[in-house]
Amino acid sequence: MENQVYRIVEDQGVSYLEFKILDPYKDYIRHGITLRYGGVSPSPYNSLNFRLGGKDSKENVMENVKRICDRLHIPKEQLYKARQAHTDHVLVIHSKNKEKYAYGVFNEELADGYIVKEKGIATMVTTADCNPIILYDPVTQVVANIHSGWKGTIKQIYLKAIELLKQEFSVQPENLIVCIGPSIRKCCFSSEEESFKEKFTQVFENPEKYITYEEENQKRFHIDLIYVITQDLLNVGVKRENIAVADICTRCHHDEFFSYRYALQNHEKDYGLMATIVGLLPF
Ligand SMILES: [Zn+2]
């Protein structure tokens, strides 16, 4: 499968999405966003599940990690992650602190974004409807890997990451390449709760641009998270032509990607998570 923005790579049954906008930097950065295929986890985690702490076994998840890391040519020992909790906390991971975040090792630190400058370090964000966002600066060769669901979006975690990139690594936003992976889109992200709508309108201007109402039920509204994220990025100086959005709704495509909302609505007993892995070469 291929379109202008991304291609789906299938390697011995394991599938992942990669962004074409990062093709010119293949000697510097490696990335992949997983589909559900090619793992060992049973239903409802079938099969390439990255959710530790659910009812799927740790052995299954670690085997899934090994499989995707092998395909991406990233040593799984160089993969790092903290506990995601819909925060706006962004960690800089480097050789002096990385062991704390070794994947599969329990740590209590909560974070939903990682910045890496040192080569040979990879990070992982897990999602099921939330937005995985990769920010890469080819000039300074710094990369960020961000988990931004609706809560993280309201907290504008991606702007916190850009602020850190500017302050700590002298990144200029106009050089940033931003990739937004598959996530729940406005077709499926809906509610009837006024208080829910207000969470967005208190933060983001021009609600008529990102909130639409259903014709047959005027109480039910849909929110376009991609619009608000993109607008925020443009406002801080990211160039529109440097923003790549994979045009895939995870809930609509729940057979191919994990969708929390689909699992909930379909009364499945649990849900799985997909992974966005980004690493700087060489390993
Ligand atoms: Zn949808």
Side-chain angles (χ1 to χ4, degrees), residues 183-189 248-253:
S183 57
I184 192 166
R185 297 296 156 87
K186 64 179 176 188
C187 44
C188 295
F189 190 52
I248 301 170
C249 172
T250 43
R251 196 200 165 283
C252 287
H253 294 269

Side-chain angles (χ1 to χ4, degrees), residues 123-176:
T123 62
M124 179 201 257
V125 154
T126 51
T127 57
D129 291 342
C130 293
N131 296 285
I133 307 178
I134 300 167
L135 304 104
Y136 178 62
D137 175 19
V139 177
T140 59
Q141 294 180 23
V142 182
V143 73
N145 193 6
I146 308 292
H147 163 239
S148 185
W150 67 263
K151 290 176 185 162
T153 300
I154 284 172
K155 293 171 185 164
Q156 296 166 297
I157 181 172
Y158 43 87
L159 295 187
K160 307 262 161 51
I162 291 177
E163 202 47 49
L164 205 56
L165 287 168
K166 282 165 66 177
Q167 285 171 10
E168 305 275 324
F169 300 96
S170 306
V171 168
Q172 296 181 354
E174 61 264 35
N175 296 330
L176 278 175

